[in-house]
Amino acid sequence: MSLDVRALREQFPILAQEIDGNPLVYLDNAATTQKPQAVLDAIMAFYTQCNANVHRGAHALSDEATRRYEKARDSVAHFIHANSREEVIWTSGTTEGLNIVANGIAQRLQEGDEVMVTQMEHHADLVTWQQACTRSRAILKVVPIHDNGALDIQAFEDMLSGRTRLVALPHVSNALGTVNPIKKLAALAKQKGALVVIDGAQGIAHGGVDVQDIGCDFYAFSGHKLFGPTGIGVLWGRGSVLEDWPVWQTGGEMIARVSYEASTWGALPNRLEAGTPNIAGAIGMAAAIDWFSKLDLEAVQSHEKQLLASATEQAMAFDGLKIIGSAPDKIGVLSFIIDGSHPADVGFILDRQGIAIRTGDHCAQPLMRRLGVPGTARASFSLYNTLDEVDSLFRALKKAQMMLA
Amino acid sequence: MKLPGSEEIVDDLAFFDDWEQRYQYIIDLGKSLPPMDEADKTEDRLVRGCQSSVWLKAHRENGVLHFAVDSDAIIVNGLLALVMAAYNNKTPEQILTFDIDDYFQQLDLERHITPTRGNGLRAIVSKIQDIARESR
Ligand SMILES: Cc1ncc(COP(=O)(O)O)c(C=O)c1O
């Protein structure tokens, strides 16, 4: 069955607008996705029907708020195939999730221990580990990529050692679109006894994430890249690992018993969720997941594949355009540069034509240096984009190239 | 080559009725902005935008401030030329009394100098104003 993109688009009110008289063509989905009406409705319903704090009120509103909030956790657990709902920790986003893990591992690393990341990391999955290593005098090892943006699997294997305590890598690269074979890599790392952390910020929105099948220990993602609101995300952790994971923030909600002298911690998941949570965010994120789960995943994936294939084909035929990142397994992202033009200039002229892309270093400065570019222009696609929009991108690019020549 | 003055630019831009001509004009201005010596592009003169980088060099002579600016992006250079038309070779007083927001509004470009744009332009404007304040 093919995806009815027209009908899908109608569920995204924001997409119907014009920018400077041109229809908005939103191709910045790797930065954040738009939100369907179902998500907007769920957030509005929470605030209009049952806004109250969770887990504490002795009244009907609080009961209902708690019910919706905890049901949201169930939706996430089911969506990613967690072993249990206690493995789902609410965070403010991928960044916070990774910081919870980095903070914990920093307390356990010994001098000379090793943490491994890749050259394609987003700063969120690099600076975190770098700082954890600095604090504990551990060694950060960076697995190289090939020139086409694919991970050097042989190097990954060779660089693992008996001292590798943790391996962190992205499911999908935000700057290049490279899909990493995370199941295989997780298995290699597990053989050495290392913890495996997947930065799922870009992987989650393409569907089919099964944390048990992947075999990792942590998988972090953000609601806003999955058609949900900003300010909410999830850190999934394997129960046995999470169980005694060092606490992150301290305060209300996460404690069992408190005296002036000392405190004991509560049980998972609350132990890692101090303070009043982002209740509306969690409910909105679950609404996004429920909405996404009702789609025909195969049709979504095949539509996304078509979008990228069409974009890649037109990019290859475009004189003076160089694609940055052409790993064999790639999804959602076309990064490129136009000969002789700065990406910021290209973005500027596309913007005036109603086309939203991102330009710059994509929060991956070391990766840009590795690739020898100052930055790229990046078009990133989501399920509501159309092939016509891909054509519009290239028409607008032609104009940009002419004007900048 | 001599860059036009701020009034001239406002007039020129008002003359065009479509965006392509306006942008082309800014691009051409950007191309005619004299490049800064590579040796002058030092770290302390760099104003980093998240998408493009801008360098600013200033010196004072006979009560007048002289600036040199450069960017790695051509449209940012064009916008910088607009800023230079307003600020270069002026006294600190002239700089501080010039209404830059109104100027960009007249040019219909205020969207491009908002702090959120990340092209370093707003930061350059603030820096020039700071320098003017310090040299009063
Ligand atoms: C690969 C990757 N990791 C981490 C992040 C950080 O996500 P957030 O800013 O939502 O915490 C992003 C988002 O830009 C990303 O693309």
Side-chain angles (χ1 to χ4, degrees):
Chain A
M1 208 178 75
S2 80
L3 200 66
D4 186 349
V5 182
R6 299 267 156 235
L8 259 185
R9 287 179 72 82
E10 283 177 13
Q11 300 181 50
F12 290 81
I14 202 172
L15 295 177
Q17 69 185 289
E18 295 194 336
I19 305 287
D20 297 323
N22 301 293
L24 165 67
V25 174
Y26 186 77
L27 299 177
D28 196 16
N29 294 287
T32 198
T33 53
Q34 300 302 345
K35 327 301 174 199
Q37 191 64 47
V39 170
L40 307 179
D41 288 347
I43 296 169
M44 190 64 149
F46 168 72
Y47 282 121
T48 50
Q49 295 164 12
C50 60
N51 174 52
N53 212 326
V54 290
H55 300 149
R56 34 184 108 167
H59 55 81
L61 282 192
S62 178
D63 286 348
E64 178 59 16
T66 306
R67 194 187 64 76
R68 290 190 197 187
Y69 171 72
E70 288 301 337
K71 189 164 158 274
R73 198 188 302 272
D74 292 331
S75 288
V76 173
H78 185 253
F79 182 59
I80 59 174
H81 303 266
N83 296 290
S84 75
R85 62 194 313 283
E86 285 75 25
E87 293 182 340
V88 173
I89 310 294
W90 294 117
T91 63
S92 62
T94 309
T95 303
E96 191 185 35
L98 295 171
N99 272 280
I100 293 173
V101 185
N103 173 66
I105 201 72
Q107 298 180 31
R108 294 180 176 180
L109 287 171
Q110 309 279 324
E111 185 166 351
D113 281 348
E114 294 167 5
V115 171
M116 226 162 83
V117 297
T118 73
Q119 275 184 338
M120 68 177 91
E121 299 313 328
H122 184 282
H123 296 158
D125 203 37
L126 170 62
V127 184
T128 34
W129 311 115
Q130 176 192 79
Q131 295 303 308
C133 287
T134 304
R135 268 198 284 167
S136 46
R137 296 170 192 255
I139 299 159
L140 186 72
K141 287 180 150 182
V142 183
V143 182
I145 55 171
H146 296 296
D147 289 339
N148 69 359
L151 190 69
D152 184 339
I153 308 286
Q154 190 57 52
F156 180 95
E157 220 172 323
D158 295 345
M159 287 168 74
L160 283 166
S161 83
R163 298 225 51 183
T164 312
R165 296 286 170 258
L166 183 144
V167 174
L169 74 159
H171 188 169
V172 175
S173 152
N174 64 310
L176 306 174
T178 306
V179 182
N180 285 313
I182 50 176
K183 182 173 175 174
K184 175 175 167 186
L185 299 174
L188 289 170
K190 296 308 293 178
Q191 279 171 16
K192 299 283 182 185
L195 287 172
V196 177
V197 184
I198 304 295
D199 170 355
Q202 298 295 335
I204 196 75
H206 303 291
V209 169
D210 179 334
V211 290
Q212 299 197 54
D213 181 57
I214 295 166
C216 54
D217 297 290
F218 293 98
Y219 191 100
F221 55 104
S222 303
H224 72 95
K225 294 186 200 274
L226 178 62
F227 315 103
T230 50
I232 186 77
V234 164
L235 173 67
W236 171 83
R238 180 178 302 288
S240 54
V241 177
L242 270 189
E243 209 155 68
D244 62 345
W245 200 255
V247 300
W248 164 235
Q249 293 178 322
T250 53
E253 293 262 336
M254 53 78 67
I255 42 73
R257 202 183 149 72
V258 176
S259 72
Y260 286 117
E261 293 74 30
S263 302
T264 56
W265 311 139
L268 285 174
N270 303 29
R271 186 164 56 76
L272 292 168
E273 297 174 342
T276 297
N278 182 353
I279 309 167
I283 290 170
M285 181 166 177
I289 286 174
D290 295 344
W291 172 86
F292 183 80
S293 303
K294 286 199 195 101
L295 302 176
D296 175 348
L297 186 59
E298 239 172 77
V300 166
Q301 288 176 340
S302 111
H303 176 62
E304 288 188 353
K305 208 172 267 175
Q306 262 183 13
L307 292 171
L308 185 60
S310 167
T312 305
E313 191 186 321
Q314 296 189 58
M316 291 194 338
F318 195 106
D319 236 0
L321 183 153
K322 181 161 181 249
I323 297 177
I324 306 295
S326 45
D329 197 2
K330 199 179 145 176
I331 196 167
V333 167
L334 180 77
S335 238
F336 60 92
I337 47 181
I338 304 262
D339 274 350
S341 302
H342 193 283
D345 288 326
V346 173
F348 218 91
I349 296 181
L350 292 191
D351 172 51
R352 186 54 190 72
Q353 300 175 78
I355 311 228
I357 62 161
R358 173 152 181 203
T359 62
D361 60 33
H362 314 294
C363 298
Q365 289 176 10
L367 173 62
M368 295 296 123
R369 280 193 284 274
R370 156 68 180 84
L371 296 167
V373 292
T376 74
R378 179 191 71 184
S380 52
F381 308 100
S382 186
L383 45 83
Y384 42 64
N385 288 125
T386 65
L387 288 165
D388 284 347
E389 288 182 313
V390 176
D391 296 345
S392 299
L393 166 68
F394 283 93
R395 266 196 307 276
L397 270 179
K398 245 307 163 251
K399 181 159 281 178
Q401 188 184 40
M402 266 163 47
M403 289 180 71
L404 291 167
Chain B
M1 144 180 185
K2 192 171 168 341
L3 289 163
S6 61
E7 279 145 45
E8 203 179 323
I9 289 176
V10 171
D11 286 349
D12 282 351
L13 273 170
F15 177 77
F16 301 125
D17 39 28
D18 77 22
W19 72 270
E20 279 178 57
Q21 289 175 327
R22 295 164 54 79
Y23 273 46
Q24 200 63 62
Y25 177 82
I26 293 168
I27 290 167
D28 293 341
L29 271 184
K31 286 181 182 159
S32 59
L33 187 75
M36 209 159 150
D37 279 342
E38 284 305 314
D40 283 339
K41 293 186 180 175
T42 50
E43 192 68 22
D44 59 319
R45 294 193 175 117
L46 177 63
V47 178
R48 222 180 285 274
C50 99
Q51 308 181 26
S52 48
S53 303
V54 180
W55 290 266
L56 171 71
K57 184 182 156 205
H59 80 276
R60 190 188 162 133
E61 210 177 284
N62 302 329
V64 172
L65 288 168
H66 303 280
F67 299 104
V69 285
D70 204 353
S71 163
D72 48 359
I74 195 80
I75 294 180
V76 175
N77 261 342
L79 295 170
L80 285 171
L82 304 178
V83 173
M84 284 299 102
Y87 286 149
N88 204 12
N89 309 323
K90 299 278 162 65
T91 65
E93 283 312 323
Q94 285 173 317
I95 288 172
L96 290 169
T97 49
F98 189 85
D99 187 343
I100 191 85
D101 292 322
D102 180 62
Y103 173 52
F104 271 90
Q105 213 150 8
Q106 285 184 53
L107 298 174
D108 200 13
L109 288 168
E110 66 273 23
R111 217 170 94 206
H112 301 301
I113 62 156
T114 55
T116 52
R117 257 299 155 123
N119 56 22
L121 216 69
R122 174 53 75 172
I124 286 286
V125 167
S126 310
K127 208 154 181 187
I128 288 178
Q129 290 170 339
D130 287 347
I131 293 171
R133 254 187 294 276
E134 284 160 21
S135 358
R136 240 191 323 205

